[in-house]
Amino acid sequence: MLLRRYGGLALGALVLIGFWALSLISYLLFHTTVEITSMVVSFCIFTLAWNQRRTMDNGYLLFVGLASIFIGIVDLLHAMTYKGMGVFPSFGADPPTQLWIAGRIVQTLTFLAAPFFLNRKVRTLPVMATYTVLTALLCWSVFAGVFPACYIDGVGLTPFKKVTEYVVSLLLAVGLYLFRRRKEVFDPLIFRLMTWTIALTIVGELAFTLYSGVTDQFNLLGHLIRLVSYCLLYLATVQTGLTKPFSMLFRNLKQSEEALQKERNFVSGVLDSAGALMTVADANGLIIRFNRACEELSGYKQADVVGRRLVDFLTPPEDRAEIRRAMIQLQQGRSPAAFEGRWILANGSSRWISWTISLIHGEDGKVQYVVGSGLDITERRQAEAELKEREERLRMMVDSVQTGMLLVDKETHAIVSANPAAAALIGLPPEAIVSRSCSVFIKCAGPDGACPLATTGQAPLDAVLKTFDGRDLPIHRTAVAVTTDGRQHLMESFVDMSAQKLMEEELRSLSMIDELTGLYNRRGFLTLAPKEMAAADRVGGSVALLMVDISGLKEINDAHGHAEGDRVLIAMAHILREAFSESKLIARFGSDEFAVLAPQFVGARPSMLVDRLERLLEDYNTTNSRDYEIRVNTGVARTQPQKPSSVHDLMNQADNALYVEKRRRVMAR
């Protein structure tokens, strides 16, 4: 490899020395040979680009290749008009210099415009027509004497020629910058060779601004640099195009395939990382994608299900007919957007899945893919069934309650009659109830002492029934105006709501308890904490709020599984109950957060709460041999009797203290 690399450099150096020696013998022969070499390279590049114009997907190289023939034509005219060639004997040194500038204009515009065709289709005929017109105009202007003078015998280069060379160099530098911004489009070897080609062309142009005679050393240096740049251009296009055609012609195709593969990997990663169940099937229902969530829930691997229909092994037999009908609808373009169904898992158990279906259509409008997004709703359905059962039980209890009825005089509110159910609820015989005011037994008077049901059309309301034995029974009361014996009465009916109230309290309690730890949940805490704080305020006491955050619970879940994480939460709940047995309000506030409200907290140091908790934690970690320890961050806030505060104020103070504690521990590591 080293011999090949340095051998090539040595050969190139010998060639340059040979050309330099040739210039000493005959500068005209040297100049003609350099120009012929550049013309041959230009024609070869054009030939390659023209014959591969339908398959070459690199617009930059194709554009440069098509323009090369015109650069070569101008360079050919430059060589033929050179002093001493004898083709145009009447020409002096200015016309070949003018043609040189014309060629550089065409070349510069080519390298400047080529980067803009990297992502555009090169339209061959418009490009060829444009360059034909441009080249013809430039050559005509030279031969017609319109082109500005570039060289004056006895004087040297004109300011126009020098300025043009500087502008050409600047524009070539811009073209080089635009080219290098799209490095990823090119084969690395082609990119390096083209970079050196443009860079050396710029250096050569600058050298051509310094000569005073057409055969002096700067003119010689410029032509030698030009020779090297064209050799590199030959290596970048002609030789590479013949020896590595696929690297040159299909570079974009390879990059597109790589980008497509990256996109596929990205989509696969998204599907596998999604928490939802994701399946992709073709129009016939054959599975082609089965994400990780599906694998974990079903117990089947993707390799086991690809090419099969889920209905054949995951759907219960009694549900398969309905699923097959849905698949027929999908094939006909009619999609059941959402439905619920069961999966029979690999271990034989079943789960309820809620599916949302999306269809992907092909260009012909037919269904090509069926994408299913599912959620495991087994627990939700179980909760719904339990709730339905409780509701049914509550309905039966309500239906079994007897309705009490009292006929009350609308003016005097005296009870005229009472039915047995009302008497049973009150605890007195009907005759002992009659003639008494209804307010003796039913407590529902408004703020002004008036009965809210004294006027017909009032909505039903809840009230309290005062029994003979001193109990207060919650009741639901309605009243209907009736006329008996010519007098206005109210038929008041009421039902004992005791059982229903108990049931409502039970449901309310269930909604306030954390199922895993048995502690209050966030709702329960926020419901009861204001009452505890108000009770402390009435006796002039204070309360302290301790916020506890388990450190590293996620790492325990990741290392040992969520079951172990649940055991940590349960253990933490036991430790908190033991540490704060005098507290009535201990809650699991979040996934790994707990809150303790200690009423009537007395003591100079709120940190006593933290000390008590940390001692019990240390005892637990010592007696339980596990490869991890339960560690917590804490924050304490305390109310001031002389400065009332809300639950949320206290929580914000405790959260701030917790944040400071976390930050302190992180800084201490």
Side-chain angles (χ1 to χ4, degrees):
M1 180 63 71
L2 291 176
L3 179 62
R4 181 178 178 182
R5 176 182 298 177
Y6 294 110
L9 293 175
L11 179 61
L14 290 175
V15 171
L16 288 178
I17 293 173
F19 271 91
W20 172 76
L22 183 62
S23 71
L24 299 178
I25 299 172
S26 172
Y27 195 86
L28 178 62
L29 179 59
F30 161 77
H31 178 270
T32 304
T33 305
V34 172
E35 295 300 331
I36 290 175
T37 301
S38 65
M39 286 183 288
V40 170
V41 172
S42 297
F43 294 151
C44 289
I45 294 173
F46 171 77
T47 302
L48 179 67
W50 180 260
N51 287 284
Q52 295 179 339
R53 65 188 183 279
R54 293 184 177 86
T55 56
M56 183 181 293
D57 64 351
N58 190 312
Y60 184 98
L61 296 179
L62 178 58
F63 185 82
V64 171
L66 294 176
S68 295
I69 185 67
F70 299 95
I71 300 172
I73 290 173
V74 179
D75 287 342
L76 175 62
L77 293 174
H78 163 72
M80 293 298 100
T81 58
Y82 201 75
K83 185 177 181 180
M85 289 295 293
V87 179
F88 298 94
S90 62
F91 281 6
D94 187 38
T97 308
Q98 290 173 318
L99 288 169
W100 167 264
I101 291 297
R104 304 294 66 77
I105 291 174
V106 177
Q107 185 182 36
T108 301
L109 292 177
T110 299
F111 283 121
L112 188 62
F116 296 99
F117 288 91
L118 280 170
N119 295 324
R120 294 182 176 90
K121 179 177 178 60
V122 178
R123 301 176 62 185
T124 305
L125 291 181
V127 171
M128 297 293 289
T130 301
Y131 270 91
T132 299
V133 173
L134 175 64
T135 304
L137 287 175
L138 289 172
C139 293
W140 171 82
S141 66
V142 172
F143 286 96
V146 177
F147 200 92
C150 294
Y151 186 87
I152 300 176
D153 291 327
V155 177
L157 299 177
T158 66
F160 170 78
K161 199 268 186 185
K162 293 182 179 181
V163 171
T164 304
E165 293 280 17
Y166 289 132
V167 173
V168 164
S169 300
L170 178 61
L171 294 180
L172 284 173
V174 174
L176 178 60
Y177 168 74
L178 296 176
F179 169 76
R180 290 185 62 83
R181 287 183 61 187
R182 300 303 305 275
K183 177 179 180 180
E184 73 281 356
V185 177
F186 296 90
D187 179 87
L189 176 60
I190 294 177
F191 179 78
R192 291 194 298 271
L193 291 174
M194 288 298 299
T195 299
W196 278 106
T197 296
I198 302 174
L200 288 175
T201 301
I202 296 173
V203 175
E205 294 302 317
L206 295 175
F208 282 121
T209 64
L210 301 175
Y211 71 87
S212 57
V214 294
T215 61
D216 71 5
Q217 67 273 17
F218 286 109
N219 191 287
L220 171 65
L221 177 62
H223 280 89
L224 289 176
I225 294 175
R226 172 177 166 79
L227 178 65
V228 175
S229 69
Y230 266 86
C231 289
L232 294 177
L233 182 61
Y234 172 84
L235 294 175
T237 55
V238 180
Q239 182 179 358
T240 305
L242 295 176
T243 59
K244 297 182 179 181
F246 294 104
S247 296
M248 176 178 176
L249 301 179
F250 304 114
R251 174 73 174 173
N252 288 346
L253 179 60
K254 290 169 61 179
Q255 290 182 336
S256 298
E257 291 176 349
E258 293 173 357
L260 180 59
Q261 185 61 43
K262 290 181 180 179
E263 184 175 352
R264 287 175 177 170
N265 293 338
F266 173 76
V267 172
S268 297
V270 171
L271 290 178
D272 286 339
S273 62
L277 308 173
M278 298 293 296
T279 64
V280 182
D282 61 19
N284 296 317
L286 300 178
I287 292 297
I288 58 178
R289 289 290 309 182
F290 195 73
N291 77 337
R292 187 174 300 164
C294 290
E295 291 180 336
E296 293 174 353
L297 179 65
S298 68
Y300 294 98
K301 296 297 183 182
Q302 177 171 274
D304 301 330
V305 303
V306 169
R308 301 173 64 185
R309 292 182 175 86
L310 294 182
V311 69
D312 294 336
F313 63 97
L314 277 177
T315 305
E318 59 271 23
D319 297 344
R320 291 176 183 174
E322 182 179 353
I323 299 300
R324 288 193 176 97
R325 283 195 297 271
M327 289 304 302
I328 294 174
Q329 292 179 358
L330 289 172
Q331 293 171 354
Q332 296 173 348
R334 295 182 291 122
S335 169
F339 66 92
E340 295 180 359
R342 288 183 297 161
W343 265 11
I344 302 299
L345 311 186
N347 60 11
S349 62
S350 65
R351 306 291 291 182
W352 278 95
I353 311 297
S354 175
W355 289 104
T356 300
I357 303 299
S358 301
L359 301 179
I360 299 178
H361 296 83
E363 295 181 357
D364 57 0
K366 295 182 179 180
V367 175
Q368 191 171 7
Y369 298 106
V370 180
V371 180
S373 174
L375 293 175
D376 184 355
I377 59 169
T378 305
E379 284 74 17
R380 191 194 77 186
R381 288 182 67 95
Q382 290 174 349
E384 289 175 350
E386 292 176 1
L387 181 59
K388 185 177 180 180
E389 181 181 353
R390 289 177 181 174
E391 289 176 348
E392 181 65 19
R393 187 164 66 247
L394 180 60
R395 186 190 63 81
M396 293 177 61
M397 294 175 63
V398 172
D399 289 345
S400 65
V401 174
Q402 295 182 348
T403 301
M405 303 185 71
L406 297 175
L407 186 62
V408 179
D409 188 285
K410 188 176 181 180
E411 293 182 2
T412 63
H413 297 168
I415 298 174
V416 177
S417 65
N419 73 339
L425 288 174
I426 294 174
L428 289 174
E431 57 273 16
I433 298 174
V434 173
S435 300
R436 294 192 180 188
S437 173
C438 64
S439 61
V440 174
F441 304 106
I442 300 177
K443 184 168 59 177
C444 64
D448 57 354
C451 176
L453 293 181
T455 305
T456 58
Q458 291 287 344
L461 55 83
D462 290 333
V464 175
L465 179 68
K466 296 180 287 184
T467 65
F468 178 72
D469 57 5
R471 293 180 297 118
D472 289 343
L473 297 181
I475 59 172
H476 190 67
R477 179 189 182 197
T478 60
V480 178
V482 296
T483 302
T484 59
D485 299 331
R487 289 185 62 85
Q488 294 292 322
H489 294 85
L490 293 175
M491 179 60 74
E492 299 189 10
S493 61
F494 54 90
V495 292
D496 184 2
M497 300 297 291
S498 301
Q500 181 174 338
K501 292 294 183 180
L502 289 174
M503 180 60 68
E504 290 176 353
E505 190 63 30
E506 178 185 355
L507 293 176
R508 187 178 299 108
S509 175
L510 288 174
S511 69
M512 295 170 58
I513 299 299
D514 178 61
E515 184 178 356
L516 178 64
T517 62
L519 301 175
Y520 286 109
N521 57 20
R522 185 186 185 94
R523 178 186 297 176
F525 181 88
L526 294 177
T527 300
L528 299 177
K531 299 178 182 179
E532 293 292 328
M533 294 175 65
D537 287 340
R538 284 194 296 270
V539 297
S542 63
V543 296
L545 175 62
L546 172 66
M547 299 296 292
V548 180
D549 177 275
I550 299 179
S551 178
L553 182 60
K554 181 180 182 302
E555 288 73 13
I556 296 174
N557 282 329
D558 292 343
H560 304 280
H562 288 279
E564 187 66 24
D566 289 346
R567 281 193 283 273
V568 171
L569 293 171
I570 293 171
M572 192 69 216
H574 288 315
I575 292 172
L576 290 173
R577 286 194 186 95
E578 182 179 352
F580 308 107
S581 57
E582 75 281 359
S583 176
K584 298 179 181 179
L585 192 52
I586 304 174
R588 181 185 175 193
F589 217 64
S591 60
D592 56 358
E593 292 181 327
F594 295 84
V596 179
L597 190 69
Q600 298 182 349
F601 176 79
V602 179
R605 293 187 303 109
S607 60
M608 292 171 59
L609 292 173
V610 179
D611 296 340
R612 190 190 313 174
L613 174 60
E614 289 185 346
R615 284 196 303 271
L616 290 176
L617 271 176
E618 192 66 31
D619 293 341
Y620 177 85
N621 290 329
T622 302
T623 57
N624 288 270
S625 57
R626 299 185 184 276
D627 58 355
Y628 64 84
E629 294 183 346
I630 300 178
R631 297 297 179 192
V632 298
N633 298 305
T634 58
V636 183
R638 177 182 176 183
T639 62
Q640 302 295 331
Q642 67 277 14
K643 186 179 179 182
S645 57
S646 66
V647 175
H648 292 288
D649 293 337
L650 202 60
M651 288 169 54
N652 288 335
Q653 296 173 22
D655 278 338
N656 290 335
L658 179 62
Y659 174 77
V660 171
E661 174 66 12
K662 281 186 176 181
R663 185 177 181 86
R664 183 189 66 78
R665 294 198 174 188
V666 170
M667 297 296 292
R669 292 178 181 173

